[in-house]
Structures are given as structure tokens and as C-alpha cells.
Amino acid sequence: MTNEEIQQIFFQECDEGLASAEAGLMACRAGDHDGETINTIFRAVHSIKGGAGAFGFTALQSFTHHFETVLDLARSGDLALDQGVMPILLRAFDVLTDHVAAVRGQGDAPDDGEVLERLKAIGSGERPIPMADAAAMDVAPPPAASPGIDLSFDLAALIGGLDQGDADLVPDTGLAARPWRVRLVPGRGALHRGGEPLLLLRELIALGGAIVAVDTDAVPLITDFDPDGAYLGWTLTVPETVDRAVIEEVFEFVADDCLLEITRDDASVAPPANIVPIVPAAPKADVGNPSVAATPAPGGQSIRVDLDKLDRLVNLVGELVITQAMLTQRLQGCGQGAIQELSDLDHLTRELQDSAMAIRAQPVKSVFSRVPRIIRELETQTGKRVRLDVAGETTELDKTVIERIGDPLTHLIRNSVDHGIESPAERIAAGKDPEGVVRLAAEHRGGRILITVEDDGKGIDRERVYALAAERGIIAADARLSDEEIDNLIFAPGFSTATTVSNISGRGVGMDVVRRNVQALGGRITISSRPGHGSIFTLALPLTLAIVDGMIVSVGAETYVIPLTHIIESLRPLPGAVKPLGRDRHMLDVRGTYLPVQSVADKLGVTGGRTNPAEAVLIVVETEDHGQAVLMVDAILDQRQVVIKSLEANYRPVDGCAGATILGDGRVALIIDVESLVALDGDTPPMLLRA
């Protein structure tokens, strides 16, 4: 494994550690935490520190060292996580996030001076000093290339100890009367398998340790020297103030490839020159204290797979679905469509497709985890007080969709805080709690995922929105619009209610971008607002962008696919069920409710389609923006899974269509975008805007 590959694993572990640390910090902020919560935060920061030292990221290593010192005080009960400490810890976490981004080449190293001083002061026992105005501590702009990493070392440096460059990481506390004695003997093949003793020694010295002996007896003659062999052993002392668990964590990734002893150093004397033969150790256990059992392996196992390989797998599964459909159609044409093997193949293909898509599925927590920091920054910039409530973080969604909803979600959160939540004074005057609430939730519903952003603010000022839209020519000055239609005006290009342009809002691009990005995913966004009570933005997104269950229909000489997630029922109308409306429109009586009948042929410009609803097949569909409607087609041909191919990438966008697919007979069929099809050709009220 190359150094770059190992580094990528470290960065992935950083992401996981930051996510768990932030969840823990938010629990501490809310007062809903225990000792294990603080331990989780400590372990995450400590792991990042260990990796930073391994790759020579000295700024990140130094910052995490002081951060974990404060966390260690908290988990030992010597530091209360009160209102004086939590803002500093949250700000330290934000700076840590920026440090990690910097070493990944995604931005410049942050200015951590003020936060670092606060951490050092707390670590030395001083009372927490309130943070300065965060406006003076803005994150540095992105990005610069990360420097190269030099992990070279020489034998003399190992025997003689470590460079003085590590001295700034050693705490000022001297050795206690009964320090820990740590004996480390790497396995013979440790270096070949990526183990680096120098990095472990640096970790122990950063904890206040000191090398007291080096065993060189196993070093061979130069003629027998193996560059990948490990021949040295070390004995160190570590202050007794350091928890044993902290020392053990230094070795948690190499415990199976070294001989490790951790004992109390009662006599404080160096060990004999001859140390036990160098052999790979058994799974991590305390040789000096057999009663301490090895740490059990976790119940679940996982491996990291390159995303390109996963994408190729999903693409091949999609091609297999197409081939299976072709085979099915050919056998049916030969009168062999009912054979058991064909049914088994269909079942196995669907299982394989479901499994492949499940591998790509990720919890939306990876996106939701960014929101707490956004809220904290907005609180500082606006002077408002906001509490974030999150639900449904474990709801899973295709990785491609998750990667592309980050920006729309950020816009919605910023909009809710800037335009929705009132200032504390305004909320008190309105009889509300001075602290506003933003609720972020995700759930599966009807084959789609719904993500809602809700606030308890002042809601949409419809009179002002209407007036601004008329003033800017977005609507006619005498237009008569419903409340829902007025609410949707905020998605108009260039529309903004902000009185001044700031780095939060006012340029008229945010909400327009939200709708465009969501629609590009095949999703929809809706608004529900009550003046004085707040607003709810709902994003309805497809679970995957690769495969969909669809109903195959014919319209004239063309074949289309309608996604099953939109279909409520299909029927041939009974006599008298279809009523005329004007010269060329019809309504269908569906159990006492009249729904508009819309001809797919007319919508998409297809000739030869049926024109009389009484002779056609009518499909009742559900839309997010327009409620229920009825699509008129000539006939239903089949129902099956289809693989979605991008029209934009392979042809060009087509109004009313979300993509294309290859049918079993090799023909290309367009997949209908029910939402936009219903909105085509003037059937949508004039205020509902389309990207």
C-alpha cells in the first residue's frame, strides 16, 4: 500500500472522527451527555492527533494535543462543561475541522492563535476566558496545495532518541514517582506492513514520555540487513498522570504486530540490555498484567472500496438488468416466457440490483453533520439564538444524491436563520422563546426520501413578497395569486427580500439555485408557511439515480416509462365518468373527486395518440406541486425495472422527461418526469416557476 493510499485512509478516518466528535459536543452543549460521550470525543481527537503525527502534519498534531488535554480534564471530572467552556470547545472543533481540510489541500491553515491560547490556559488550570467576537476569527479562504510529506529517518536518530523538533509537544510536567514503563519491540515484518516505530515513539513523547533504553542486540551485520526488517526495541517511561487507556490507544492499530508491555515502574531503573527475542506479539494484551484481556474485535467488519470500482459494479448491474429484459422478451416471443428458470433469473437480477444499490446507500448523517457548524456561524453573524433539532439521520440515500444535496440544504438552512428566525428581542415581543428552533428531518415515503427544513420564525411575509415581485416584473401588477402561489415566488431568479447585501443573503441567487439543483436530481421542493409561526421546506428526492420501477406505456407509435412511485392507480373509465370541461378539456370522476385529464400525446407532441378519454387508459398520478392528476395514454404494455440513462449526457434535455432507458427489444424509451409533464403547456398556474 502506497503512502498516498494510507493517507487517504487517514483522511477518511478523520471524517468519521470529526462526525462522532461533533455529535458528542452537541450532546454536551444540550446537557445530554455522560462520561462515555466525553470519552468518544477524546478518542476521536486523539486518533486524529496520532495520524497527524504519522504524516508529519505538525500544526494539526500540536492543535489536537492541546485540544485533547482539555478534553482529558473534562473526562476526569476536573473541568465542568459549563457555558464558559462549551463555546471554546465548539470553536476549537471548528478550527480542528479547518486544520483537517488544510492538510487535505482544501484550504489554508486556519488562524488558531486565539483558540489555542484558550485551550492552553484551560489546560494549565486557569479559568476559561470568554472567546473574542468570532467575526475576528473567520476561517481563512481556500485552498492551497498541501506540502509534501517526508517520513525518512536514520538508524542513529532512532538509537539516540527523537529530534528536538518534538520538544514543543512535551508537557511541562515532570515524571511522577511511579511512572508507567512501556516496552515496545516491533515485529520483524512491522516496517514491511506499514508500521513505523518512530511515530509511536513520538506519540509517547507527546504524552510526556522519555526513552530510557534501546535494545540493539538484534541488529544484524550489514551483509544480513533487511531494509524492511525491524531490529530495535525501546523502553520508555510515561508519567503516571497519563491514563493507561491513552497509552494503549497509541498502539491500537499495531497491537497485533509488536510485543508491548505496560507496567508500573516502581524502581525507576532501566531494563537489562538483553530484551526478549523479537517476535510478533499475540493480539493486544498486557504482558505485564495477564489479567487484562485483549480488546475484543468489533462485531461488524468492513472494507474500504474505491468509489470508481463501486460505480462500475452498479453500471454493470444496470447493463445486466437490460440484458435480462431483452432475454425475457425474446423468450416470450418464442412462447417460453413462463419457464421457471426465467422467473428465477428475474428474481436473482432484482436481488443483485438491490444489493448493489444498498452498497452505495449512505445515511444522510454525512450531510446533516455539516449543519451544526453552519448554525453556529449564523448565530455569530446575525446575533440570533438558534437551536437545531435533527431527526432521521440514519435514513439512507444513494451516495450520488447525498453528494449533490449539500448546497441546496445549506441554502435552506441559511434562509431559515436569516429570513425566518427573528432576533431574540422580536421573539420576546411576539411571546416566543428567545431561542429559535430549526428542525432538520429525513424520512422514506412512497419510494422517495423527504428532507424537511422547518423553522418556528415569522413565516413568509406574503404582502411584501407580492409587492417586490410586481415591482421587479416577475408577475403582473394586477395578478391574482393564492397564498401557495405567492410563496413560490421566492424561487424566481433574482428574487430576494433582503434589504442589504451580505455574505448570508441579498443577491437573489440562493433559492433559485436550490430549486434548480433539486430539480436536476429529479426531485421537487415545496413550501408551507404560516405567518407568525414559521415555514417548512420539503425536498422530495429519488432514492437512487440509477434504476427505477416503471410502467411501460404506449402513446401513438412511441413508448414511454412512468415511474411507479408517482402512480396511484390505472383504469379504463366507466361510461359517464369523464366530464367535458370547455372545448378541449376533460375531468375524471375518481370516487367523487374530479381530476383533470391530461393527454401525454398533446403534452409531448406525439401524433397518432388517442384523443377520446373514454377509449384510452387513464393513469392517476400524484405530484408534489400540483396534487393529483390523470395522464391519458393508449395502452399499458408492461411493468418492470428500467435503468436510467441521462438524456443531458447522451442527447439533450427534453421537457417532461427525466431520462431514457433501453427496453428489452433494444428500443430507447423516454422516462416521463411526471411533475414537469403535468406543468407543461399552460396547465400549471402562472406563478409556478420551472428551471
Side-chain angles (χ1 to χ4, degrees), residues 427-439:
R427 292 181 64 85
I428 292 174
K432 297 182 177 181
D433 190 299
E435 181 180 59
V437 178
V438 172
R439 297 180 181 88

Side-chain angles (χ1 to χ4, degrees), residues 581 585-588 593-599 619 621 626 628-632 678 683:
L581 178 66
R585 296 201 177 196
H586 298 83
M587 303 292 288
L588 174 66
T593 300
Y594 285 90
L595 302 176
V597 177
Q598 304 190 18
S599 168
I619 301 175
V621 295
H626 316 291
Q628 295 183 1
V630 179
L631 300 182
M632 181 171 69
V678 171
D683 284 322

